[in-house]
Amino acid sequence: MFKKASICLGALVMVSLVSFDMLALWSTSPPSGGKDMEIKLSRGALTVLDFPSKRTHASAIILFASGDGGWGSLEEAICHAFQNQGYEVIGIDSAAYAQTDYDLDVLQLDFSKIARTAQAPFGVHPPPLIVGGYSMG
């Protein structure tokens, strides 16, 4: 019971931290985009977007998967909002990932590889890892 409540509370805190920032970014000019980062996965290379933290030390690394219908300005705004709050964000276009068939084992293998790649620049003490998203198909 406590674990479920903690997860829900954590999600609520995250949403509240970025909602104002995200709306401000989305309603103004289009975001500039993250830095392309190609990762070799089990079924070939996938280009993800790296949004480095705007703070000296990242609070956490977020693997943000979205874009079942394609990556767009809303996903960009969400990633920038997290980035501005001090998170390192790796944007994963779910539509691009799903262009070839996969099963649970492949998905786990690939997301583990993306996580290790995102954590590598931080050495032996990377920040916590958060995996989430929406519209992931």
Side-chain angles (χ1 to χ4, degrees):
M1 175 90 135
F2 179 71
K3 188 174 182 178
K4 276 187 178 180
S6 296
I7 291 170
C8 290
L9 181 60
L12 217 64
V13 168
M14 262 187 158
V15 168
S16 66
L17 282 174
V18 300
S19 60
F20 179 76
D21 204 15
M22 183 184 75
L23 289 173
L25 283 168
W26 195 27
S27 63
T28 59
S29 62
S32 61
K35 177 184 165 194
D36 285 354
M37 180 169 50
E38 187 175 278
I39 302 176
K40 300 214 183 312
L41 301 177
S42 62
R43 300 169 299 134
L46 176 71
T47 300
V48 298
L49 297 171
D50 181 22
F51 297 84
S53 172
K54 295 287 187 181
R55 298 190 181 160
T56 307
H57 301 287
S59 302
I61 300 168
I62 298 175
L63 302 185
F64 179 75
S66 181
D68 185 27
W71 192 267
S73 60
L74 178 60
E75 289 83 3
E76 290 276 335
I78 291 168
C79 289
H80 281 285
F82 282 132
Q83 178 187 41
N84 289 337
Q85 292 295 323
Y87 295 95
E88 173 88 14
V89 184
I90 303 298
I92 304 162
D93 183 342
S94 296
Y97 179 80
Q99 287 184 356
T100 58
D101 289 339
Y102 61 93
D103 58 20
L104 181 59
D105 291 335
V106 170
L107 182 68
Q108 290 172 334
L109 181 69
D110 288 345
F111 269 67
S112 292
K113 175 73 183 267
I114 294 169
R116 285 191 310 276
T117 302
Q119 292 172 320
F122 295 95
V124 295
H125 299 291
L129 180 70
I130 301 167
V131 179
Y134 77 96
S135 188
M136 297 181 283

